[in-house]
């Protein structure tokens, strides 16, 4: 069987897990701080980290930065990340960071 055929038959989590273990990327005493925007890629990363955390027992904190640039859409992203974090009982940090241009326009 060719290498690319093996990869297709192995799930994404198993490939990520094998890579993390092969290169000793996470240890039990480590603490990962994951930036999560609420988009599909960062949420997928968070799913992987939550599953790895249960197996490898490292610390995990989620950070979301609300830039105030996209109005209700940005609020929805924050609420989605907050609900996800709450449901998994993860540490959560929220930063409200408005750009200088946004501050000037609001004054």
């Amino acid at each position: 069987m060719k290498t690319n055929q093996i990869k297709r038959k192995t799930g994404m989590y198993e490939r990520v897990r094998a890579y993390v273990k092969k290169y000793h990327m996470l240890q039990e005493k480590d603490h990962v701080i994951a930036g999560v925007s609420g988009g599909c890629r960062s949420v997928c990363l968070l799913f992987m980290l939550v599953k790895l955390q249960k197996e490898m027992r490292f610390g995990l904190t989620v950070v979301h930065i609300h830039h105030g640039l996209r109005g209700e859409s940005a609020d929805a992203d924050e609420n989605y990340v907050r609900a996800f974090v709450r449901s998994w009982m993860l540490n959560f940090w929220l930063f409200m960071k408005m750009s200088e241009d946004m501050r000037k326009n609001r004054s």
Side-chain angles (χ1 to χ4, degrees):
M1 191 177 279
K2 295 180 182 176
T3 304
N4 59 354
Q5 289 174 328
I6 294 170
K7 286 182 181 178
R8 283 189 206 131
K9 291 184 178 187
T10 304
M12 183 168 59
Y13 173 74
E14 288 78 17
R15 289 186 304 210
V16 169
R17 180 181 173 273
Y19 191 88
V20 167
K21 286 190 174 250
K22 179 179 179 180
Y23 294 103
H24 309 286
M25 296 175 77
L26 294 170
Q27 306 298 320
E28 190 169 322
K29 293 183 181 180
D30 289 344
H31 194 98
V32 175
I33 299 174
V36 179
S37 67
C40 60
R41 289 179 294 268
S42 65
V43 171
C44 181
L45 169 67
L46 187 53
F47 273 115
M48 294 290 158
L49 289 170
V50 166
K51 195 166 180 178
L52 283 168
Q53 182 193 34
K54 290 180 180 191
E55 188 177 329
M56 302 174 87
R57 302 187 187 275
F58 54 87
L60 179 59
T61 296
V62 176
V63 174
H64 179 79
I65 301 172
H66 189 311
H67 294 284
L69 298 175
R70 296 183 354 267
E72 290 179 11
S73 177
D75 295 340
D77 287 343
E78 176 193 334
N79 292 333
Y80 178 74
V81 173
R82 187 183 295 275
F84 185 97
V85 166
R86 190 176 299 128
S87 71
W88 288 95
M89 295 181 287
L90 300 171
N91 297 321
F92 180 61
W93 295 343
L94 171 66
F95 294 92
M96 302 294 281
K97 178 67 175 154
M98 193 176 292
S99 72
E100 194 63 38
D101 291 339
M102 289 292 289
R103 270 190 233 129
K104 287 177 185 176
N105 289 337
R106 287 193 172 193
S107 317

